[in-house]
């Protein structure tokens, strides 16, 4: 396995897992490395092979979290672009998750603060621990006597001693002689929780080994409270021997030496799993509400660091299970593709002795065979962020099934979107799908991410590469605003014929010559329908399939790698069976969504007039005259050529001949191929208990800490969730310069800044305030009064 087209692989090893050899690469550091702005380390290339980092991309809208905020109406309604039910459902799911994320975070914190034990719960007695109060007696064995004195003496020695459990209510805890502890550390922990909960600044005296390891807990000077513990050989445990429960001190809310950063981290660990970037101010508030203690800001930061260390340590155990997980997958899926790439710690400039997880590529054979058997050679490529504190990206290749819905083919967990990761993913995808002749005959759809463009150029150079028109519009409309320009943009993009495309460009030129020039600079051949190849029978110009998959797994992206991959595997495994069972019950020739598009064309066919020219050639009159060839299945409008679905002109001809239009739909939309695509399966996988044991220690990837303060919220579209509801935002309006009165800029960016502009046409402004009375005005007022008299 190649680690990357430009990565230096010092040696290729065969790591044997459970008797099977896995090809893997160990990437070691090169003499000179440079750090990308994204936080990833990649080897320095030679000058003629240097590739830019993905952070240099001019497309600000590439961020998946920003893309998720785009409005649905950014893409005007167009047959194959936005009428996908799965796409709409994924957008709704993404919107709901984003809207409820802050609320769920607050719920987690509130649950931690309000977590308490039912006050009416009965105190757990010693009998619940597997031994009786009779056993706790320090005296000899006594049998119940026959006299009243003996009975009284027997009850006296039956003392009920509480025990410490996970559900102990420390606010009502009473220290009692005879309370047992297995170790001295258990006693220390009990003292800590009692002190923190009750606001007592307790200290623990130094252990005295000569006196059987005796420990003591005492309060501040002047307070009589004390608890002494010592080892009892007869019971083989530590037992409280002496207690003074009286407190004369007041509750301490400013300082508690038992409330350490490690203790706070342990208590807040579930919250930090949910909120890795929990602000220090909110940590202070949570501790104050929970324990009634004020902690300093530095203590909150220290607890946050300690919590991250605990989580990262547990992640080492989690990532060490990847070897067993992949071996279990290989046993159940021997023909599937699983490529694991690991690196040395020095390669990532981190300290450590073990190997570090770098990338993992997954493609199940059942999904691959179904895609090759029943789907067109069209792939949508995109990446989405993983929402754990370790970061990372999930790259995915999504196909289109015969019903024009998503068909996940392969996915990979990588360190981030950069040149190396995309080139590695595109190379593994090419080998997995056995693509020949550098991708000739394939169509790839993606955004303008530079790393992805370089990967396509390197391994899929002969494939048709389309750019997502919605991402192009997101950048284009920043300078060219207005509904008229927006309509002209999408009219030019969706035009099936070159003549209609040029007419839309002329309309755009009449609105703004600069807008047309900027449109042409975006290379229309990559995102306009009139230039697309008709062999793939797909007129799609947006990357909705990849975004549908991102919404499909949005809940899984918040989990760590093994749990996330398992959720994805189970979801796709279930989807294959569900789709197959739904389609096999239908008695149709073409898939349901394609039938809806065909029915729409049939409805429009009533406005057409048909004039036969030959048994296969017809002239159809609508708004314009077009020619339809039934033998070649073409139309002058090019919609039938590009989609494989008869346009309304072709439907008019078929209706004129009394022939069913379904017989002229391309075979790629048939029910037969749909069932072939979903006929395969992904075998089930047993739980971790039944995985083969593989000794493969692996460190998790290092936590990426970018420059500056981390962004708290996702950057939203200006139309999304306005700050002042009920009021129209200024987004999309045209700015007028107050200096030169020109449109499109303000006075800060005015080219005439610093120059004095003569204002001839504009009258002078009226001075503010009430005009002052002059001598003439006073005389006129006196004259008016005299006339009135």
């Amino acid at each position: 396995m190649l680690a990357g087209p430009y990565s230096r692989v010092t040696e290729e090893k065969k790591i044997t897992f459970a008797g099977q050899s896995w090809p893997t690469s160990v990437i070691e550091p090169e003499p000179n490395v440079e750090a990308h702005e994204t936080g990833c380390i990649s080897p320095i290339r030679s000058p003629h092979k240097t590739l830019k980092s993905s952070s240099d991309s001019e497309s600000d809208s590439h961020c998946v979290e920003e893309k998720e905020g785009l409005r649905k109406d950014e893409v005007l309604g167009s047959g194959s672009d936005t009428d996908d039910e799965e796409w709409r459902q994924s957008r709704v799911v993404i919107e709901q998750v984003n809207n409820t994320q802050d609320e769920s975070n607050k719920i987690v914190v509130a649950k931690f603060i309000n977590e308490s034990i039912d006050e009416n719960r009965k105190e757990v007695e010693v009998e619940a621990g597997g031994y009786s109060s009779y056993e706790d007696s320090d005296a000899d064995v006594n049998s119940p006597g026959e006299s009243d004195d003996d009975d009284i003496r027997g009850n006296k020695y039956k003392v009920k001693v509480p025990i410490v459990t996970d559900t102990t209510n420390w606010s009502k805890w009473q220290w009692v002689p005879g309370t047992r502890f297995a170790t001295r550390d258990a006693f220390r922990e009990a003292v800590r929780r009692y002190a923190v909960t009750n606001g007592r600044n307790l200290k623990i005296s130094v252990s005295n080994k000569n006196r059987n390891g005796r420990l003591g807990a005492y309060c501040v000077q002047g307070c009589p409270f004390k608890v002494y513990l010592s080892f009892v050989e007869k019971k083989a445990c530590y037992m409280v021997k002496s207690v003074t429960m009286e407190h004369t001190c007041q509750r301490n809310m400013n300082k508690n030496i038992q409330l350490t950063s490690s203790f706070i981290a342990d208590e807040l660990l579930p919250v930090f799993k949910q909120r890795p970037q929990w602000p220090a101010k909110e940590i202070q508030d949570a501790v104050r509400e929970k324990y009634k203690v004020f902690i300093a800001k530095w203590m909150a930061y220290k607890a946050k660091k300690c919590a991250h260390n605990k989580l990262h340590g547990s992640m080492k155990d989690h990532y060490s299970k990847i070897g067993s997980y992949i071996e279990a997958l290989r046993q159940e899926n021997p023909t599937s593709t699983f490529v694991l790439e690991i690196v040395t710690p020095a390669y990532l400039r981190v300290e450590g002795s073990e190997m570090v997880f770098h990338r993992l590529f997954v493609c199940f054979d059942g999904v691959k065979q179904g895609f090759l058997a029943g789907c067109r050679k069209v792939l949508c490529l995109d990446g989405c962020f993983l929402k754990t504190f370790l970061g990372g990206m999930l790259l995915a290749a999504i196909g289109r099934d015969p019903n024009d819905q998503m068909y996940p083919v392969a996915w990979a967990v990588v360190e981030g979107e950069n040149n190396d990761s995309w080139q590695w993913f595109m190379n593994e995808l090419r080998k997995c799908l056995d693509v020949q002749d550098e991708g000739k005959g394939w169509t790839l759809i993606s955004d303008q991410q530079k790393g992805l463009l370089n990967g396509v150029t390197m391994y899929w150079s002969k494939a048709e590469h389309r750019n997502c028109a919605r991402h192009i519009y997101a950048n284009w409309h920043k300078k060219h605003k207005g509904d008229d320009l927006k309509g002209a943009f999408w009219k030019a993009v969706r035009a099936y014929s070159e003549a209609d495309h040029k007419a839309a460009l002329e309309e755009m030129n009449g609105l703004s010559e600069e807008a047309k020039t900027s449109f042409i600079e975006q290379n229309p051949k990559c995102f306009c329908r009139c230039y697309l190849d008709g062999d793939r029978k797909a007129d799609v110009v947006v990357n909705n399939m990849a975004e549908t998959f991102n919404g499909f797994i949005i809940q899984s992206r918040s989990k760590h790698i093994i749990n996330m991959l398992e959720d994805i595997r189970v979801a796709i495994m279930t989807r294959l069976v569900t789709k197959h069972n739904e389609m096999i019950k239908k008695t149709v020739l073409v898939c349901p969504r394609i039938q809806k598009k065909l029915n729409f064309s049939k409805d429009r066919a009533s406005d057409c007039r048909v004039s036969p020219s030959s048994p296969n050639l017809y002239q159809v009159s609508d708004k314009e005259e077009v020619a339809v060839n039934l033998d070649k299945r073409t139309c002058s409008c090019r919609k039938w050529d590009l989609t494989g679905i008869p346009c309304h002109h072709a439907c008019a001809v078929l209706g004129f001949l009394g022939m069913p239009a379904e017989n002229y739909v391309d075979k790629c939309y048939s029910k037969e191929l749909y069932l072939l695509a979903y006929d395969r399966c992904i075998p089930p996988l047993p739980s971790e208990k039944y995985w083969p044991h593989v000794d493969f220690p692996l460190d998790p990837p290092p936590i990426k800490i970018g420059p500056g303060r981390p962004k708290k919220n996702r950057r939203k579209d200006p139309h999304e969730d306005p700050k002042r509801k009920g009021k129209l935002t200024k987004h999309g309006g045209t700015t007028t310069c107050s200096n030169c009165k020109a449109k499109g800029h303000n006075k800060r960016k005015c080219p005439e800044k610093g120059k004095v502009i003569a204002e001839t046409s504009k009258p002078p402004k009226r001075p503010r305030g009430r005009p002052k009375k002059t001598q003439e005005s006073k005389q006129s007022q006196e004259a008016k009064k005299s006339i009135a008299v």
Side-chain angles (χ1 to χ4, degrees):
M1 185 195 77
L2 294 178
Y6 294 112
S7 300
R8 180 176 300 173
V9 181
T10 57
E11 58 178 337
E12 185 166 348
K13 300 181 180 180
K14 293 286 186 178
I15 300 182
T16 303
F17 289 161
Q20 183 176 2
S21 297
W22 285 9
T24 184
S25 296
V26 180
I27 306 179
E28 297 191 0
E30 295 191 351
N32 199 1
V33 295
E34 64 179 357
H36 287 293
E37 294 179 7
T38 57
C40 304
I41 306 298
S42 66
I44 287 183
R45 321 289 195 252
S46 59
H48 65 283
K49 290 185 178 180
T50 301
L51 301 177
K52 292 184 179 180
S53 166
S54 62
S55 60
D56 298 331
S57 175
E58 297 176 0
S59 176
D60 295 333
S61 64
H62 175 68
C63 175
V64 174
E65 299 301 332
E66 184 175 310
K67 290 188 293 187
E68 292 172 354
L70 293 176
R71 291 171 53 89
K72 300 174 188 177
D73 58 358
E74 287 295 325
V75 183
L76 302 179
S78 69
S80 62
D81 289 346
T82 59
D83 60 346
D84 187 355
E85 292 85 352
E86 288 185 324
W87 182 80
R88 289 196 295 266
Q89 291 174 4
S90 68
R91 307 302 292 178
V92 173
V93 171
I94 290 173
E95 185 177 356
Q96 291 175 350
V97 171
N98 289 333
N99 290 339
T100 58
Q101 185 174 9
D102 292 338
E103 296 179 3
S104 63
N105 293 338
K106 293 178 182 179
I107 292 174
V108 172
V109 178
K111 182 179 179 181
F112 161 74
I113 294 174
N114 299 326
E115 186 179 15
S116 61
I117 301 175
D118 186 5
E119 296 181 357
N120 298 325
R121 179 181 298 176
K122 295 181 179 180
E123 294 294 335
V124 181
E125 299 181 356
V126 177
E127 285 80 355
Y131 48 87
S132 64
S133 58
Y134 183 75
E135 182 184 355
D136 292 333
S137 174
D138 292 334
D140 297 332
V141 177
N142 293 284
S143 300
E146 296 179 356
S147 64
D148 294 339
D149 294 337
D150 290 339
D151 292 337
I152 294 174
R153 186 175 183 276
N155 292 330
K156 178 181 178 181
Y157 276 78
K158 293 182 180 180
V159 181
K160 295 182 179 180
V161 180
I163 60 173
V164 177
T165 63
D166 294 337
T167 59
T168 299
N169 188 353
W170 293 103
S171 61
K172 295 184 177 182
W173 175 259
Q174 295 291 326
W175 292 98
V176 176
T179 305
R180 299 180 180 184
F181 294 94
T183 62
R184 288 184 294 176
D185 291 337
F187 173 75
R188 292 176 183 271
E189 183 65 20
V191 171
R192 183 188 302 277
R193 294 189 175 276
Y194 171 81
V196 172
T197 305
N198 293 276
R200 307 298 179 180
N201 203 3
L202 301 184
K203 297 181 181 179
I204 298 178
S205 60
V206 180
S207 171
N208 188 345
K209 295 182 180 180
N210 295 331
R211 300 180 62 186
N212 294 327
R214 185 175 181 182
L215 288 176
Y218 59 95
C219 198
V220 296
Q221 186 176 3
C223 181
F225 175 86
K226 63 179 180 179
V227 177
Y228 287 117
L229 179 88
S230 63
F231 184 77
V232 179
E233 295 182 358
K234 184 178 179 181
K235 304 293 183 181
C237 65
Y238 291 89
M239 186 178 294
V240 175
K241 287 298 189 69
S242 176
V243 176
T244 302
M245 279 296 300
E246 181 183 0
H247 279 284
T248 59
C249 61
Q250 300 296 327
R251 186 184 184 96
N252 191 346
M253 299 182 64
N254 295 323
K255 184 179 179 181
N256 194 319
I257 60 175
Q258 298 297 335
L259 189 67
T260 61
S261 59
S262 178
F263 177 81
I264 297 174
D266 289 333
E267 294 295 303
L268 303 180
L269 205 58
V271 184
F272 279 108
K273 287 182 180 179
Q274 183 77 10
R275 304 185 62 184
Q277 303 298 335
W278 198 14
K281 181 65 171 60
E282 295 187 17
I283 298 175
Q284 290 178 278
D285 295 339
V287 174
R288 185 183 71 251
E289 293 184 27
K290 178 71 174 179
Y291 299 112
K292 307 297 186 296
V293 178
F294 297 95
I295 62 172
K297 200 169 186 178
W298 65 266
M299 174 67 80
Y301 281 119
K302 192 174 180 181
K304 186 175 180 179
K305 180 180 179 181
C306 185
H308 279 287
N309 290 337
K310 292 178 182 293
L311 289 174
H312 193 272
S314 62
M315 283 299 98
K316 182 174 181 179
D317 298 334
H318 181 84
Y319 275 79
S320 296
K321 298 176 184 177
I322 290 181
S324 299
Y325 174 67
I326 296 179
E327 182 61 27
L329 289 176
R330 282 187 177 275
Q331 291 182 2
E332 301 294 334
N333 306 265
T335 56
S336 299
T337 303
F338 308 103
V339 182
L340 173 64
E341 184 175 286
I342 56 178
V343 295
T344 58
Y347 178 80
L348 299 175
R349 291 183 176 178
V350 296
E351 297 180 357
S353 58
E354 304 291 346
M355 303 305 295
V356 181
F357 173 87
H358 196 43
R359 297 165 185 157
L360 177 60
F361 178 88
V362 178
C363 180
F364 290 97
D365 186 69
V367 174
K368 179 181 69 174
Q369 297 300 332
F371 172 76
L372 296 176
C375 300
R376 290 154 287 173
K377 294 183 177 181
V378 179
L379 289 174
C380 297
L381 306 171
D382 199 9
C384 58
F385 289 102
L386 302 181
K387 300 183 178 183
T388 65
F389 66 93
L390 292 175
M393 299 284 292
L394 182 74
L395 308 183
I398 312 299
R400 300 177 72 89
D401 65 13
N403 198 31
D404 259 353
Q405 292 182 304
M406 74 165 185
Y407 193 94
V409 179
W411 50 93
V413 179
V414 298
E415 73 281 5
E417 279 193 295
N418 51 53
N419 289 329
D420 288 343
S421 61
W422 269 118
Q423 290 169 11
W424 173 81
F425 179 76
M426 297 306 296
N427 183 33
E428 295 297 335
L429 183 64
R430 175 183 61 86
K431 293 188 296 184
C432 176
L433 298 178
D434 195 20
V435 177
Q436 304 296 330
D437 198 12
E438 298 182 356
K440 186 176 182 180
W442 288 77
T443 294
L444 305 178
I445 307 171
S446 67
D447 52 20
Q448 294 178 307
Q449 213 279 335
K450 287 188 175 181
L452 194 155
L453 295 177
N454 294 330
V456 171
T457 303
M458 181 169 296
Y459 296 106
W460 300 69
S461 58
K462 294 184 180 180
E464 181 191 21
H465 190 191
R466 305 177 188 177
N467 291 332
C468 180
R470 190 158 60 89
H471 290 84
I472 294 175
Y473 173 76
N475 290 329
W476 180 84
H477 93 293
K478 291 179 181 178
K479 294 184 179 179
H480 312 291
K481 303 179 184 300
D483 292 340
D484 293 339
L485 284 176
K486 178 180 180 180
F489 176 92
W490 289 110
K491 188 181 294 184
V493 168
R494 297 195 178 101
Y496 286 96
S497 64
E498 193 170 353
D500 293 339
H501 173 75
K502 291 181 179 179
L505 287 182
E506 290 301 323
E507 180 183 346
M508 186 185 299
N509 187 59
L511 297 172
S512 173
E513 185 176 354
E514 184 182 356
K516 176 187 175 183
T517 304
S518 177
F519 182 90
I520 296 176
E521 290 176 355
Q522 299 292 333
N523 190 9
K525 292 185 178 180
C526 293
F527 64 95
C528 292
R529 283 178 176 167
C530 64
Y531 299 112
L532 301 183
D533 189 355
D535 293 340
R536 251 70 69 200
K537 303 303 178 186
D539 64 342
V540 60
V541 291
V542 293
N543 203 21
N544 282 352
M545 289 297 103
E547 294 188 9
T548 301
F549 179 73
N550 294 342
F552 184 66
I553 63 170
I554 188 170
Q555 299 289 355
S556 304
R557 287 157 51 188
S558 301
K559 300 180 181 181
H560 292 293
I561 179 169
I562 295 179
N563 300 328
M564 179 191 67
L565 293 176
E566 267 300 279
D567 281 0
I568 296 174
R569 185 191 63 83
V570 172
I572 296 177
M573 177 182 68
T574 306
R575 189 175 185 273
L576 292 176
V577 179
T578 302
K579 293 293 183 181
H580 184 273
N581 293 340
E582 290 177 354
M583 182 59 69
I584 204 170
K585 297 177 183 178
K586 300 182 182 295
T587 56
V588 294
L589 295 177
V590 297
C591 295
R593 295 188 71 250
I594 309 304
Q595 186 66 50
K596 289 182 181 180
K597 296 179 182 180
L598 185 61
N599 293 339
F600 180 76
S601 297
K602 289 180 180 180
D603 294 339
R604 292 188 59 191
S606 60
D607 299 331
C608 301
R609 290 176 299 176
V610 180
S611 302
S613 173
S614 71
N616 291 321
L617 293 175
Y618 296 85
Q619 180 176 319
V620 181
S621 301
D622 188 9
K623 295 180 181 179
E624 297 176 351
E625 306 291 335
V626 296
V628 176
N629 190 327
L630 294 182
D631 189 21
K632 296 182 180 180
R633 299 192 177 189
T634 60
C635 179
S636 300
C637 70
R638 286 196 75 245
K639 184 176 181 180
W640 193 8
D641 312 35
L642 195 60
T643 62
I645 305 172
C647 59
H648 66 285
H649 305 116
C651 289
V653 174
L654 295 172
F656 175 79
L657 298 175
M659 301 174 64
E662 286 77 8
N663 294 339
Y664 284 83
V665 177
D666 194 274
K667 187 180 178 181
C668 66
Y669 300 112
S670 64
K671 173 185 176 181
E672 179 184 357
L673 284 183
Y674 187 93
L675 294 177
L676 284 177
Y678 289 97
D679 191 37
R680 275 71 173 180
C681 68
I682 299 177
L685 185 69
S687 62
E688 181 183 343
K689 174 183 177 181
Y690 304 99
W691 294 353
H693 175 70
V694 177
D695 187 12
F696 188 62
L698 196 64
D699 281 347
I703 300 176
K704 299 176 184 177
I705 302 177
R709 177 181 288 275
K711 290 181 175 57
K712 182 177 180 181
N713 296 323
R714 173 178 58 88
R715 289 183 294 177
K716 297 182 179 180
D717 188 82
H719 290 293
E720 181 186 5
D721 193 18
K723 294 182 180 178
R724 295 194 299 173
K725 296 182 179 180
K727 296 208 174 204
L728 188 65
T729 63
K730 295 182 179 180
H731 177 72
T734 305
T735 306
T736 303
C737 179
S738 60
N739 185 33
C740 66
K741 311 305 176 187
K743 302 287 186 181
H745 66 272
N746 54 20
K747 65 180 181 180
R748 289 181 296 178
K749 298 182 180 180
C750 180
E752 305 294 333
K753 190 175 182 179
K755 298 180 182 180
V756 179
I757 308 296
E759 297 184 359
T760 56
S761 60
K762 188 175 181 179
K765 290 184 178 181
R766 179 181 176 182
R768 297 178 60 185
R770 185 176 180 180
K772 295 181 179 180
K773 292 183 178 181
T774 60
Q775 188 67 24
E776 296 179 357
S777 63
K778 292 180 180 179
Q779 293 177 0
S780 63
Q781 289 180 1
E782 292 177 357
K784 290 180 180 179
K785 290 180 181 181
S786 62
I787 292 174
V789 172

